[in-house]
Amino acid sequence: MDLPYQPVEPQTYRPRIGLIGCGWVTEYHLKAYTQAGYDVAALCDCDEVKAIERQKQFYPRAAVYTDANQLLSRDDIDVVDIATHPAERVALIESALNAGKHVLSQKPFVLDLDTGERLVALAKRKNRKLAVNQNGRWAPHWSYLRQLVAGGHLGDVMSAHLAVHWDHNWTAGTPFDKVHHLILYDFAIHWFDIVTQFLPHKKALRVYASHAIAPGQRAKPPLLGQVSIEFEQNAQATLVFDGSTPFGPLDTTFLAGTLGSARSEGADLNAQRVTVTAAAGEFQPQLQGSWFREGFHGTMAELLCAIEEDREPNNSAGGNLASLALCFAAVKSADTGSPQTPGEVRRVESL
């Protein structure tokens, strides 16, 4: 099945882009943008050294700023990629929208749903597009599975079961050691997000989650986590995170539908093999690309296509609120030991 799982480029729209925040993850943003031929005209970070480093690496002709307002005041920049931490990002998104810019926000989008709804409403009033960098949607294996679901090839999807077993102890001694919900919040947001794509149009009713310290782990936050999600229309999802697996890493996704099933498995997020099984038989598509290349390319490409076609992007901020609602409910469930209703938990009380 030849499905459009690769990022799709706009036909003619090639705006100038500004990047605000030049931390470690932006290396992957800019690698993807240079490979796609995007014009990044300005780089901004409160630490000028970081901005200059990215300038030298990727866009030598880009202007460098330490004040985001200077970047946002430029009339020739139409799209802004905001890759700062959540706390300072809200004000930057507001300023960018008020300056007439389209915005790609780093994930997780916001720390509370009320703020997210307010930003979505502001973007609508300003007639600007606001998207979230949920790059996992364009990881080749997940993107192909998304297209299977969207095209109805699996029929009515009734279950999604995802598990990842890896070693996250590299965070020991880093600022991540201070994030108590490192797994269920910072890491798992990709998995909560993709579940909304695998079970579209189905309302999540209840979320139950737990977490624990793994034997022998070096990082301070709990590295074990599991989540069970009950949906209306007789559907379910489970997520398993074994974040302190020193040997034999494994990443799996399984979808079951009324017309077929699909699974993806591999040693990590990039080395994945997809298998689709239906009445006609079984096949394995030969997928090209990787999460960090196509993922970061896909989020920006989809935003540019949405601007060109004047539609909501697949990774719109409004749609992303459903992903956050699952995540926030899971965090509270792990803290309280009781199931939670997505949407009723409006914010993350403790990270």
Side-chain angles (χ1 to χ4, degrees):
M1 240 181 271
D2 186 16
L3 300 178
Y5 70 93
Q6 293 277 14
V8 176
E9 291 289 354
Q11 292 187 7
T12 60
Y13 183 58
R14 288 293 188 274
R16 285 191 158 187
I17 298 170
L19 173 66
I20 300 177
C22 295
W24 71 271
V25 75
T26 61
E27 177 181 353
Y28 300 101
H29 293 228
L30 296 177
K31 277 183 178 178
Y33 298 169
T34 54
Q35 290 169 357
Y38 296 158
D39 181 7
V40 176
L43 304 164
C44 178
D45 197 288
C46 57
D47 183 347
E48 188 178 33
V49 173
K50 291 182 179 179
I52 291 175
E53 180 181 3
R54 293 290 180 248
Q55 178 197 46
K56 290 179 179 178
Q57 283 179 298
F58 299 103
Y59 288 93
R61 296 183 180 181
V64 168
Y65 302 99
T66 56
D67 182 352
N69 291 319
Q70 290 181 294
L71 185 153
L72 295 175
S73 67
R74 287 183 51 167
D75 293 334
D76 63 328
I77 291 178
D78 199 28
V79 175
V80 179
D81 180 357
I82 302 180
T84 65
H85 293 294
E88 59 264 30
R89 196 163 59 233
V90 171
L92 290 169
I93 293 173
E94 284 184 310
S95 296
L97 292 172
N98 284 321
K101 314 300 182 187
H102 302 285
V103 176
L104 178 64
S105 167
Q106 183 58 282
K107 62 81 194 166
F109 173 40
V110 289
L111 298 176
D112 70 83
L113 299 181
D114 293 336
T115 298
E117 291 173 355
R118 179 169 57 81
L119 292 174
V120 169
L122 175 61
K124 186 175 181 179
R125 289 198 305 272
K126 296 295 182 178
N127 195 27
R128 299 291 90 180
K129 308 301 181 188
L130 175 58
V132 179
N133 201 329
Q134 290 291 172
N135 42 78
R137 294 190 187 191
W138 282 271
H141 63 297
W142 277 357
S143 185
Y144 191 88
L145 296 179
R146 278 198 304 122
Q147 295 299 329
L148 281 174
V149 173
H153 301 292
L154 300 181
D156 185 9
V157 178
M158 65 192 81
S159 62
H161 302 292
L162 298 87
V164 56
H165 319 274
W166 82 112
D167 193 351
H168 212 56
N169 280 294
W170 66 269
T171 58
T174 73
F176 288 109
D177 253 351
K178 299 178 182 179
V179 182
H180 180 61
H181 287 289
L182 177 63
I183 297 302
L184 291 180
Y185 169 74
D186 182 77
F187 183 82
I189 186 60
H190 289 295
W191 278 257
F192 290 118
D193 181 71
I194 203 65
V195 162
T196 68
Q197 302 293 292
F198 292 156
L199 293 163
H201 317 303
K202 294 190 177 183
K203 181 180 179 182
L205 302 176
R206 278 172 290 277
V207 176
Y208 178 75
S210 63
H211 62 174
I213 298 289
Q217 72 170 68
R218 300 188 308 278
K220 292 180 180 179
L223 292 185
L224 299 180
Q226 55 186 343
V227 183
S228 177
I229 308 171
E230 179 185 345
F231 289 83
E232 64 180 3
Q233 300 173 313
N234 302 317
Q236 62 181 359
T238 60
L239 309 176
V240 174
F241 304 99
D242 291 334
S244 188
T245 303
F247 306 106
L250 178 65
D251 184 290
T252 63
T253 301
F254 180 82
L255 305 180
T258 55
L259 296 181
S261 67
R263 69 181 184 271
S264 181
E265 56 189 347
D268 56 42
L269 301 174
N270 287 314
Q272 290 282 312
R273 172 170 290 185
V274 172
T275 303
V276 183
T277 307
E282 181 178 282
F283 74 97
Q284 293 181 332
Q286 301 303 305
L287 305 182
Q288 303 296 321
S290 64
W291 180 319
F292 271 33
R293 188 178 67 196
E294 275 68 25
F296 288 98
H297 178 191
T299 54
M300 179 58 79
E302 172 62 10
L303 173 58
L304 300 185
C305 286
I307 297 169
E308 182 179 64
E309 299 164 17
D310 193 22
R311 60 169 174 80
E312 279 296 284
N314 170 273
N315 52 334
S316 71
N320 190 245
L321 293 178
S323 309
L324 290 176
L326 290 178
C327 178
F328 295 174
V331 166
K332 186 167 184 179
S333 177
D335 283 342
T336 62
S338 61
Q340 301 294 321
T341 301
E344 291 185 1
V345 183
R346 303 299 295 176
R347 60 185 58 83
V348 178
E349 298 294 346
S350 64
L351 291 179

